[in-house]
Amino acid sequence: MSTAVAETSTTTGLREGAFGNARALACRECSHQVALGPHYACPECFGPLEVAYDFPAVTREEIAAGPRNIWRYKALLPVPTDIEQSPNTEPGFTRLLKADNLGRTLGIDNLWVKDDSTNPTNSFKDRVVACALSAARELGATVFACPSTGNLANAVAAAGARAGIKTVVFIPSNLEQPKQVNSAVYTENLVAVDGNYDDVNRLASEIAGEEEGWAFVNVNVRPFYAEGSKTLGFEIAEQLGWRLPDQIVIPVASGSQLTKVDKAFQELIELGLVEDKPYKVYGAQATGCSPVSVAFKDGVDAIRPVRPDTIAKSLAIGNPADGIYVLDICRRTGGAVEDITDDEVREGILLLARTEGIFTETAGGTTVGVLKKLVETGQLDPALETVVINTGMGLKTLDAVSGRVGPAATIAPSYDAFAATGI
Ligand SMILES: *Cc1c(COP(=O)(O)O)cnc(C)c1O
Ligand SMILES: [Zn+2]
């Protein structure tokens, strides 16, 4: 871990209220607590650390009076109360769309799409990065960095540019061209690594240990980063009229997002902001990188790492840090983890585009395709209210479908030529 960042790791080195209502970092495994700082592993058992809070009373009205971005939930995040004053990309409060056409096609009565493709850099990663940026600032970091499967690098590079902090982003060198360009426009320091995401991630941890003052959003400030995903859960509940859905389908890469949406629902119940009720959480993976789905189906608790081979590159994490917690949540709530082939991912992209006018990337194709499979296999109840999360934007993964769609005809500019097409 970076020593310069670590210097301010005691609560005394921080300004008052630097992390809002957050109280400490608590180990998910053994509950051991450490002071708020750039820590991510429990010193006792190496389990992952998670932000713990002393929540004040929070009302629906206070939240509704806040800005139309994730900071409306700042009382429930590890950020200072003046967070809106610091330059950031102001992500969140994306559309929750009633998806009647898709629902009819799949035989689901009451279906919603939470469309996170409209965030500032077109994926849900802007949420987590905004929280990580706040932590990096409060800890006095001088470099804002990440290992990424693509979208995270886009979000880090853009947020860093806006905040005026140096950014360095690391990606696998075989990443889709649009995702490379979408980072490189914001930063001069895009580093392509010959290896898969898990190699890139290992390298990032090594650099975090060697360099001073680096905040790696999903490594040494991961507990703060991860909290940003809760805002997806908060928004879904608020946009449903302060209710929880019966079922929710979420893509799984590291598994962080899925575990934090569940944490968000639990916190809303705890705070009395929604009524306590059962809900089922489902995880979606591509078969070419499905370590969590495999463990779910095998009925085992341990995740066996895999070497990813799928077009769903934003989900291609072969050794998912939060995989075991995804398993626990999906089993405990009565949900499931399922996976589909790359062809089904492409079909999922086209299905969402042609039923709802939403162009998703391969991660969303995976989620929609898994939703379809869950209904077909009887694992998801089509009579219950269901939310599916679209986490990214199709323009970043054009290659996935460019061979499948195109002009229906190429014609001479005459009426006769058009009429002959039969369109
Ligand atoms: C990163 C990412 C995910 C999954 O995130 P985890 O929290 O690591 O599981 C899903 N969809 C898209 C588009 C992503 O970029
Ligand atoms: Zn521990």
Side-chain angles (χ1 to χ4, degrees):
M1 192 178 319
S2 131
T3 45
V5 172
E7 270 170 27
T8 57
S9 66
T10 55
T11 13
T12 48
L14 296 168
R15 75 176 171 122
E16 178 79 17
F19 296 109
N21 296 315
R23 178 187 72 237
L25 296 174
C27 175
R28 227 182 137 134
E29 291 294 329
C30 77
S31 301
H32 177 77
Q33 297 204 353
V34 302
L36 293 161
H39 317 296
Y40 59 102
C42 174
E44 300 289 321
C45 76
F46 299 106
L49 296 173
E50 196 170 45
V51 179
Y53 298 85
D54 282 326
F55 285 131
V58 179
T59 66
R60 294 175 181 180
E61 291 70 26
E62 280 162 9
I63 291 170
R68 292 182 67 82
N69 58 50
I70 62 170
W71 305 132
R72 67 202 280 109
Y73 309 106
K74 66 186 175 185
L76 311 179
L77 297 170
V79 298
T81 50
D82 61 357
I83 180 68
E84 297 103 314
Q85 262 66 68
S86 311
N88 68 88
T89 61
E90 302 179 6
F93 222 66
T94 57
R95 311 177 297 178
L96 180 72
L97 293 169
K98 192 81 200 304
D100 288 337
N101 296 331
L102 179 60
R104 212 171 301 119
T105 306
L106 298 180
I108 301 172
D109 298 337
N110 198 354
L111 179 64
W112 301 84
V113 176
K114 177 61 172 169
D115 184 17
D116 245 23
S117 68
T118 60
N119 271 311
T121 67
N122 304 105
S123 87
F124 99 98
K125 290 297 199 304
D126 293 310
R127 300 173 181 273
V128 281
V129 165
C131 291
L133 176 63
S134 176
R137 251 195 204 111
E138 300 299 335
L139 293 166
T142 51
V143 180
F144 197 46
C146 69
S148 170
T149 57
N151 285 316
L152 185 60
N154 299 170
V156 164
R162 205 166 145 62
I165 181 171
K166 178 181 172 179
T167 54
V168 185
V169 298
F170 299 85
I171 55 163
S173 57
N174 73 349
L175 197 62
E176 299 98 332
Q177 174 77 0
K179 282 192 181 146
Q180 300 201 24
V181 174
N182 266 294
S183 288
V185 290
Y186 304 115
T187 182
E188 292 177 355
N189 305 312
L190 169 68
V191 182
V193 179
D194 287 328
N196 61 32
Y197 173 78
D198 299 285
D199 299 320
V200 181
N201 193 36
R202 250 191 322 273
L203 172 64
S205 300
E206 203 182 321
I207 296 170
E210 295 288 335
E211 298 288 334
E212 295 198 350
W214 286 49
F216 274 96
V217 300
N218 50 345
V219 182
N220 54 359
V221 291
R222 186 175 178 86
F224 303 97
Y225 154 96
E227 289 294 288
S229 281
K230 290 193 310 188
T231 59
L232 264 169
F234 295 151
E235 285 177 23
I236 289 166
E238 183 179 357
Q239 289 169 322
L240 285 174
W242 293 109
R243 286 188 296 111
L244 301 182
D246 298 320
Q247 306 176 130
I248 184 161
V249 188
I250 306 172
V252 173
S254 72
S256 176
Q257 176 181 157
L258 185 145
T259 63
K260 293 302 169 174
V261 169
D262 176 63
K263 189 179 186 218
F265 287 175
Q266 291 303 316
E267 287 178 356
L268 291 178
I269 292 170
E270 223 174 90
L271 287 160
L273 290 166
V274 298
E275 217 169 278
D276 193 358
K277 61 164 264 202
Y279 57 85
K280 295 181 180 182
V281 182
Y282 295 85
Q285 297 205 297
T287 306
C289 184
S290 51
V292 188
S293 175
V294 166
F296 182 86
K297 291 174 186 177
D298 288 350
V300 297
D301 292 331
I303 309 269
R304 187 183 302 196
V306 301
R307 187 169 285 274
D309 180 15
T310 170
I311 59 167
K313 294 195 195 302
S314 53
L315 302 181
I317 297 184
N319 189 12
D322 291 311
I324 54 171
Y325 305 113
V326 169
L327 280 179
D328 176 55
I329 289 165
C330 293
R331 285 185 177 134
R332 180 164 44 74
T333 63
V337 189
E338 187 53 275
D339 59 271
I340 55 167
T341 66
D342 282 1
D343 268 341
E344 291 170 312
V345 171
R346 293 188 184 93
E347 276 166 36
I349 294 174
L350 294 179
L351 180 61
L352 184 62
R354 294 196 168 173
T355 55
E356 298 299 341
I358 299 171
F359 187 15
T360 184
E361 69 147 84
T362 47
T366 303
T367 315
V368 170
V370 161
L371 171 67
K372 179 167 181 272
K373 186 168 178 180
L374 289 168
V375 176
E376 286 169 357
T377 54
Q379 298 179 84
L380 181 138
D381 185 344
L384 296 179
E385 183 169 63
T386 304
V387 174
V388 61
I389 300 182
N390 171 32
T391 48
M393 153 67 74
L395 291 174
K396 293 191 193 182
T397 61
L398 276 179
D399 282 355
V401 289
S402 57
R404 297 273 293 262
V405 294
T410 303
I411 60 170
S414 75
Y415 179 76
D416 285 351
F418 169 68
T421 65
I423 289 172

